[in-house]
Amino acid sequence: MRANTITIAVLAAVAGLSLTACSSDGDATSQGTSPATSASASADGGSGTGAAKEGSGSGGSAQDGATVSAGKKTGGTGGGQGTNAGTGSHTTGKCRTDELEVKAMDNTIDGDPGGTVAVEFTNGGGRDCVMSGYAGVDLKTNAGSLSAKRTGEPASRVVLKDGESVAFGITYPINDSGGSGVRITGLVVTPPDETKSVSLSWPGAATLPVTDGSGTPVKVGPIGSAGQGG
């Protein structure tokens, strides 16, 4: 009986060790296949950095399958991908010096106490543009450059269509003093909100009266004020 008991105990111990070894082999197999499954899912684009990159459009980053284009968010639904759509709103830009044809003409009316020159801007840029405010005006004289002073009239915003024109007025005192006065040799005009100027011939009276230096005698009206300065 004692010998049988020992034999049964040994067999039981051996069986237990066999079951433990089988269990360990199963766990190792399970752990070995998990990383491969994860890598496969990432390669399919289901999640992770690759999917996030596909969800961005050229107009900016997008989320949830939407694309940002021209400042407007256009929808997509799921999938992490979007398409560029929307062109944005058209905005009329300011009139540029290089797009404008500029000319000056005498606009003095008989009976007026002073002289007037009208400066006309014609839009030749092939697009509509916006102009408002005051142009810069400088008279070239034999005594140096003379900057015109703004009249202070309200300035309107003008949408100048391609081929259309708008003008403003320059007023100045007539030299009736009998003296030689200040001789005008040219006119320099800078469109509103621009820094590039245009040089023109002066079409008005040849001279200005000599002043006491208290201020400029030449005034410029806002865009659209041709013949109305004062």
Side-chain angles (χ1 to χ4, degrees):
M1 288 294 293
R2 181 176 177 80
N4 291 336
T5 301
I6 292 173
T7 299
I8 293 170
V10 170
L11 290 174
V14 171
L17 289 173
S18 177
L19 290 174
T20 302
C22 290
S23 176
S24 297
D25 291 343
D27 290 344
T29 302
S30 176
Q31 293 174 1
T33 58
S34 179
T37 304
S38 176
S40 175
S42 179
D44 290 339
S47 62
T49 305
K53 288 183 178 178
E54 290 180 356
S56 298
S58 61
S61 61
Q63 297 178 353
D64 299 330
T67 302
V68 177
S69 178
K72 182 177 181 181
K73 188 175 181 181
T74 58
T77 53
Q81 295 182 356
T83 56
N84 284 329
T87 58
S89 59
H90 174 72
T91 302
T92 303
K94 70 178 182 179
C95 298
R96 300 287 187 178
T97 302
D98 291 337
E99 299 175 323
L100 298 170
E101 299 174 11
V102 188
K103 65 180 181 180
M105 62 209 81
D106 185 18
N107 201 35
T108 302
I109 299 174
D110 291 341
D112 283 355
T116 301
V117 166
V119 176
E120 182 180 81
F121 293 124
T122 301
N123 181 9
R127 67 178 182 95
D128 296 353
C129 63
V130 175
M131 184 179 292
S132 63
Y134 286 76
V137 171
D138 294 283
L139 269 59
K140 295 180 180 179
T141 75
N142 62 337
S145 181
L146 181 65
S147 296
K149 181 180 179 181
R150 296 178 178 181
T151 61
E153 298 173 70
S156 300
R157 180 178 182 272
V158 177
V159 176
L160 198 60
K161 295 185 179 297
D162 185 39
E164 290 186 347
S165 301
V166 68
F168 67 90
I170 303 170
T171 59
Y172 61 95
I174 299 295
N175 181 23
D176 55 6
S177 64
S180 60
V182 177
R183 183 167 56 88
I184 303 173
T185 60
L187 171 65
V188 179
V189 176
T190 308
D193 299 319
E194 279 287 88
T195 56
K196 186 175 182 179
S197 302
V198 177
S199 294
L200 304 168
S201 298
W202 173 254
T207 62
L208 297 173
V210 176
T211 66
D212 59 5
S214 59
T216 175
V218 182
K219 295 184 180 181
V220 55
I223 296 300
S225 67
Q228 298 175 8

